[in-house]
Amino acid sequence: MSTARTELVPAAAILPLRHAVLRPGLPEAAAVFPEDSAPGTFHIAAYDPGRAVRACVTFLPEPLPGTGEDAYRFRGMASDPAARGLGYGVAVLRAGLAEAAARGACLVWCNGRTSARGFYEHHGFTARGEEFEVEGIGPHLVFTIKLSGTGAGGGAGVRP
């Protein structure tokens, strides 16, 4: 497991990793999302002991289409390939779920790459609906997780 330290950060802190992992070969502007500076949006970075960003994610308030539940969507989750499997991705996901719960979300969702299905399901997410194609990126599924109460630690998890 990593010695990851997570922090809420400005979008600029995570754009280099997001670009390198999710939009390689495209202009840097391709890694900027319209929601990056929207009200309620937050960004999380996981740092290694040398303060290098090893994973990142962006959460934004957005109801799951077809539901009325308060929800947060996350996107732009990326892990440095050199640090995969060391817990940095899990660290940003957990920190993001906790922050979303602290902000009142009952549900978190994402359009996740089908190839990451095992990761999401291992961390309590459920695939929902049919697989779909994101042009230029590949096959995706919608993944959702219900959040439990927000204790002193802002804990998030699957409801019983």
Side-chain angles (χ1 to χ4, degrees), residues 68-153:
E69 285 188 86
D70 288 335
Y72 265 78
R73 174 185 178 196
F74 69 93
R75 61 182 305 204
M77 187 169 168
S79 294
D80 180 339
R84 289 207 180 126
L86 299 178
Y88 293 101
V90 172
V92 295
L93 180 61
R94 286 182 180 160
L97 293 174
E99 182 67 21
R103 293 178 183 218
C106 298
L107 178 77
V108 169
W109 67 281
C110 73
N111 292 326
R113 294 173 194 242
T114 302
S115 61
R117 183 177 190 155
F119 172 84
Y120 291 119
E121 290 178 343
H122 179 75
H123 294 288
F125 285 80
T126 301
R128 191 173 182 148
E130 299 294 319
E131 184 177 89
F132 60 95
E133 189 78 18
V134 174
E135 188 177 337
I137 299 175
H140 281 63
L141 288 162
V142 172
F143 294 97
T144 63
I145 189 169
K146 293 275 189 181
L147 301 181
S148 61
T150 59

Side-chain angles (χ1 to χ4, degrees), residues 49-71:
R51 293 288 298 162
V53 176
R54 296 300 185 176
C56 64
V57 67
T58 297
F59 279 73
L60 55 132
E62 184 179 328
L64 178 65
T67 74
E69 285 188 86
D70 288 335

